[in-house]
């Protein structure tokens, strides 16, 4: 039944390659069939044809990330920002992706944008701290993590990173307080 429906939607798309609704239907069918590769292919086409549909672009980025393909996850998130330059979720997602792939300067640029758009999103300071630490900007890393720990005083991971940074600069008393 799904296979027949997929063939019908392929014919519609062949006649009208920009028919977004047919691409969405085909992606849904492929998802039901468990064909993740084809789901990704259709979502990619939709994201290009209709970048205003941020949910499709977010879902595509999520699928790439689930498959460990962090580099390909970047593009759909940039499409979201192209459509909505105030979407702080896209910026923080990109910042985290850039952290994962080791592009720390890019991570900082996108995470700083979140701070500009929504300074109350204190979780961004954790990722900023990690990015600054990765490029040996210890003072900036400490400042970011200290902001984060005031917002999340029970988060042991923040204390761990603070302790490691203080140890790195030889401030063993503060390191011990955070470990």
């Amino acid at each position: 039944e799904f296979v027949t429906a997929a063939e019908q939607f392929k014919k519609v798309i062949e006649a009208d390659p920009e028919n977004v609704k047919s691409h969405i239907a085909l992606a849904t069918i492929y998802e039901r069939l468990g064909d993740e590769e084809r789901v990704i292919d259709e979502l990619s086409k939709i994201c290009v044809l209709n970048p205003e549909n941020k949910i499709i672009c977010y879902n595509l980025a999520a699928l790439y990330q689930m498959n460990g393909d962090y580099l390909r996850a970047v593009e759909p998130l940039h499409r979201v920002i192209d459509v909505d330059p105030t979407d702080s979720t896209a910026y923080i997602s990109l910042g985290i992706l850039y952290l994962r792939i080791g592009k720390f300067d890019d991570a900082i640029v996108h995470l700083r944008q979140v701070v500009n758009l929504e300074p109350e999103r204190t979780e961004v300071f954790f990722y900023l701290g990690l990015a600054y630490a990765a490029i040996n900007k210890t003072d900036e890393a400490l400042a970011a993590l200290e902001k984060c720990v005031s917002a999340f005083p029970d988060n042991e991971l923040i204390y761990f990173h603070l302790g490691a940074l203080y140890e790195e600069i030889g401030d063993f008393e503060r390191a011990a307080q955070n470990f």
Side-chain angles (χ1 to χ4, degrees), residues 42-51 56-57 60 75 79:
E42 290 305 315
L43 292 181
S44 296
K45 291 172 186 172
I46 298 164
C47 197
V48 170
L49 291 170
N50 187 11
I56 295 290
C57 294
L60 178 59
E75 183 194 346
R79 287 188 184 280

Side-chain angles (χ1 to χ4, degrees), residues 82-132:
D82 289 344
V83 169
D84 182 2
T86 64
D87 191 320
S88 62
T89 300
Y91 284 107
I92 197 167
S93 298
L94 275 167
I96 293 167
L97 276 172
Y98 283 129
L99 267 173
R100 285 186 170 168
I101 60 178
K103 292 188 171 191
F104 304 115
D105 290 326
D106 289 333
I108 291 167
V109 167
H110 289 85
L111 296 168
R112 294 294 313 159
Q113 189 61 29
V114 176
V115 174
N116 293 339
L117 291 168
E118 292 186 58
E120 69 279 2
R121 285 194 71 175
T122 50
E123 77 274 15
V124 75
F125 290 104
F126 175 73
Y127 299 108
L128 268 172
L130 296 180
Y132 282 128

Side-chain angles (χ1 to χ4, degrees), residues 149-161:
V149 82
S150 0
F152 304 102
D154 297 328
N155 188 317
E156 294 174 4
L157 189 58
I158 302 167
Y159 288 106
F160 172 80
H161 286 287

Side-chain angles (χ1 to χ4, degrees), residues 1 18 38 42 51 54 59 64 73 85 108 115 125 147 155:
E1 192 172 302
E18 294 185 12
R38 286 186 174 164
E42 290 305 315
K54 297 191 312 185
N59 286 336
Y64 284 139
I108 291 167
V115 174
F125 290 104
K147 272 187 183 177
N155 188 317

Side-chain angles (χ1 to χ4, degrees), residues 25-59:
L26 192 54
T28 304
I29 292 168
Y30 288 144
E31 190 272 329
R32 299 278 176 129
L33 292 171
D35 191 340
E36 192 173 284
E37 187 177 314
R38 286 186 174 164
V39 172
I40 289 172
D41 185 49
E42 290 305 315
L43 292 181
S44 296
K45 291 172 186 172
I46 298 164
C47 197
V48 170
L49 291 170
N50 187 11
E52 294 82 21
N53 190 333
K54 297 191 312 185
I55 292 171
I56 295 290
C57 294
Y58 274 120
N59 286 336

Side-chain angles (χ1 to χ4, degrees), residues 4 63 81 98 125 140 155:
T4 304
L63 278 172
I81 290 171
Y98 283 129
F125 290 104
E140 291 90 339
N155 188 317

